[in-house]
Amino acid sequence: MEFEFWWLLGIPVFFGLGWIAARVDINQLLSESRTLPRGYFKGLNFLLNEQPDKAIDAFIEIVKLDPETVELHFALGNLFRRRGETERAIRVHQNLLARPDLPAEHHGHALYELGQDYLKAGLLDRAEETFNKLIDTPYSAQAGRALLEIYQREKEWTRAIAAAEILQATGAGGRQREIAQFYCELAADELVRTNTDAAMSLLDKALAADRKSVRATMLMGDALRARGDIEGALETWRRVEHQSVPHTALVAQRLMDGYIAVGRPQEGINLLRAYLAEAPSIDLLEVVFKAVLDADGIDAANVLVSDELRRTPTLLGLDKFLEARMMSAPQTVRPELAVVKTLVHGYTQKLARYQCSHCGFKARQFYWQCPGCSQWETYPPRRTEELNVMN
């Protein structure tokens, strides 16, 4: 293919057109920037330098001089809310909504920001009323998520289910896991009132929403046990191993108590030892240790914890190993073992925590909903030290 020299003539032309376009954009930008108040750039500079107090003062001055600056009102309201000054944020957004000339696109935005102010201030009734006004508007999805948060805070689980189903139907993401958890919350309340029929009906709905819901399976077993159907409860609790083997640690004590109740403790021990071999866990080891101690004696319990410590060396395991050794140690050795046990136990108390995988919040007990970030099912069923060893 021969090179066409006339193409070279087009290069300066294209370069010139690009230069003209750039000049037009720059001139337009400069023209627009001259119309902005100087205080705007001062406030922006303070924000970039992480000086929100001075930025707010600068923006307030601009708003006083030019009340028509809608976007600046939004920036100011957001700054107030971020700093926890919710009353001032509410006033800013209420003032915007009171303007008769406020364009429709800004009206929805102002209403949404006002709802966020109420939510941050803990005024949940006002927040709910505000967000409900945004249904069937361009802010419908954001309002739906906010309403879902409100219903969870107020523990209105039936309304939370309805809100989650609407969000899911509108394509705002899958909510099956959350819906199952809301049904579990309702079922747990029914179990407290010993309404087992109502609880089981709700748990059927939870499992229909999320077949892998470990909590729903555990509660279903609890409902059967409350009815006196121990065999049915055992069969149900064993389904957890098919949903998530690590979560068997959470149902281990239920299983062991059930097998003891039906007179088959050794079957329970064998089952839990199989779980322990597949998914090592200090909580599971605790249950198996007590069961083996009661059924087979201290020597068998010692062998169990020794084997587990070799297989999964952790300080939590060492703490359990020392506990077992103290039971069988001669009286002359026990004081020294007690000193070591006290030191190790004191340190392991800091490690024996569950940790949220979303926000990092640590807790001594297992939660289905994180107390820190309110996310569902973000706690792995293992303690922090065990997770570190596995990684």
Side-chain angles (χ1 to χ4, degrees):
M1 178 179 176
E2 295 184 7
F3 182 75
E4 301 288 347
F5 285 98
W6 63 267
W7 286 358
L8 295 175
L9 298 176
I11 294 175
V13 174
F14 291 128
F15 178 80
L17 290 173
W19 181 83
I20 291 170
R23 292 288 297 173
V24 170
D25 289 342
I26 292 170
N27 288 335
Q28 184 178 353
L29 183 62
L30 290 172
S31 175
E32 289 177 357
S33 66
R34 291 191 191 101
T35 64
L36 292 172
R38 290 183 60 189
Y40 175 84
F41 296 102
K42 285 176 60 180
L44 190 60
N45 188 53
F46 287 135
L47 276 181
L48 293 173
N49 290 320
E50 298 183 358
Q51 295 176 284
D53 293 341
K54 292 182 178 180
I56 284 174
D57 292 336
F59 289 148
I60 287 175
E61 287 302 315
I62 301 172
V63 169
K64 287 178 181 177
L65 295 171
D66 185 8
E68 301 300 316
T69 50
V70 173
E71 294 297 340
L72 208 51
H73 278 76
F74 285 132
L76 196 55
N78 285 332
L79 281 171
F80 282 142
R81 187 171 66 234
R82 206 175 302 168
R83 293 180 66 228
E85 297 185 53
T86 51
E87 289 185 9
R88 299 179 77 181
I90 288 169
R91 284 201 300 273
V92 167
H93 294 127
Q94 283 178 334
N95 288 338
L96 265 180
L97 288 167
R99 287 172 50 172
D101 61 335
L102 189 67
E105 65 269 19
H106 291 314
H107 185 274
H109 187 185
L111 205 57
Y112 175 73
E113 295 296 342
L114 181 61
Q116 290 292 336
D117 297 337
Y118 287 142
L119 195 58
K120 181 71 178 287
L123 303 172
L124 301 185
D125 289 343
R126 292 187 183 181
E128 181 183 349
E129 181 183 353
T130 304
F131 287 125
N132 273 322
K133 293 177 182 177
L134 290 167
I135 300 301
D136 297 325
T137 74
Y139 284 87
S140 183
Q142 296 97 314
R145 283 191 285 267
L147 286 168
L148 181 58
E149 180 182 344
I150 291 169
Y151 298 145
Q152 290 182 73
R153 285 199 202 179
E154 294 180 331
K155 300 188 183 302
E156 294 188 21
W157 303 117
T158 302
R159 300 181 75 182
I161 290 167
E165 287 176 341
I166 290 171
L167 279 172
Q168 189 167 264
T170 56
R175 301 281 174 171
Q176 293 95 333
R177 182 181 297 178
E178 291 166 277
I179 291 169
Q181 287 291 344
F182 301 154
Y183 277 119
C184 286
E185 291 287 340
L186 290 170
D189 290 341
E190 295 296 344
L191 283 176
V192 169
R193 293 190 285 268
T194 66
N195 295 331
T196 55
D197 288 344
M200 292 183 72
S201 175
L202 290 163
L203 292 168
D204 283 335
K205 293 177 181 178
L207 288 166
D210 180 12
R211 300 303 303 176
K212 294 184 178 181
S213 176
V214 171
R215 187 186 183 189
T217 301
M218 290 171 64
L219 289 173
M220 185 70 82
D222 293 348
L224 290 167
R225 180 182 58 187
R227 281 183 169 183
D229 184 3
I230 306 299
E231 291 289 356
L234 287 171
E235 182 182 349
T236 301
W237 288 326
R238 287 195 60 170
R239 292 177 195 159
V240 171
E241 66 182 274
H242 303 296
Q243 294 172 313
S244 170
V245 174
H247 281 84
T248 54
L250 301 179
V251 78
Q253 192 62 62
R254 288 174 168 88
L255 282 164
M256 198 63 239
D257 291 342
Y259 278 109
I260 291 171
V262 297
R264 303 199 305 273
Q266 194 57 52
E267 186 179 337
I269 291 172
N270 293 340
L271 176 66
L272 296 186
R273 292 191 77 149
Y275 290 161
L276 191 62
E278 190 171 354
S281 160
I282 192 65
D283 295 319
L284 186 52
L285 176 61
E286 179 76 27
V287 177
V288 179
F289 173 76
K290 289 179 181 177
V292 170
L293 184 64
D294 292 339
D296 303 322
I298 184 61
D299 290 338
N302 262 302
V303 171
L304 171 71
V305 293
S306 297
D307 289 346
E308 277 305 304
L309 184 61
R310 278 193 291 270
R311 191 164 72 97
T312 312
T314 64
L315 285 174
L316 292 170
L318 177 61
D319 187 35
K320 181 54 63 179
F321 173 80
L322 291 170
E323 179 184 336
R325 280 289 181 267
M326 284 182 65
M327 291 181 182
S328 59
Q331 289 291 338
T332 55
V333 180
R334 288 188 184 182
E336 287 81 1
L337 277 175
V339 172
V340 178
K341 172 79 168 66
T342 301
L343 289 171
V344 172
H345 186 72
Y347 187 72
T348 56
Q349 289 304 294
K350 301 175 183 178
L351 302 174
R353 306 286 179 91
Y354 297 102
Q355 184 172 7
C356 174
S357 60
H358 184 262
C359 71
F361 188 91
K362 294 182 180 180
R364 292 187 182 277
Q365 70 182 75
F366 181 87
Y367 286 100
W368 293 106
Q369 184 183 31
C370 175
C373 64
S374 299
Q375 297 293 310
W376 292 96
E377 298 186 39
T378 53
Y379 276 92
R382 288 191 175 98
R383 308 283 178 167
T384 52
E385 191 201 9
E386 295 174 298
L387 292 173
N388 292 334
V389 169
M390 290 172 63
N391 293 334

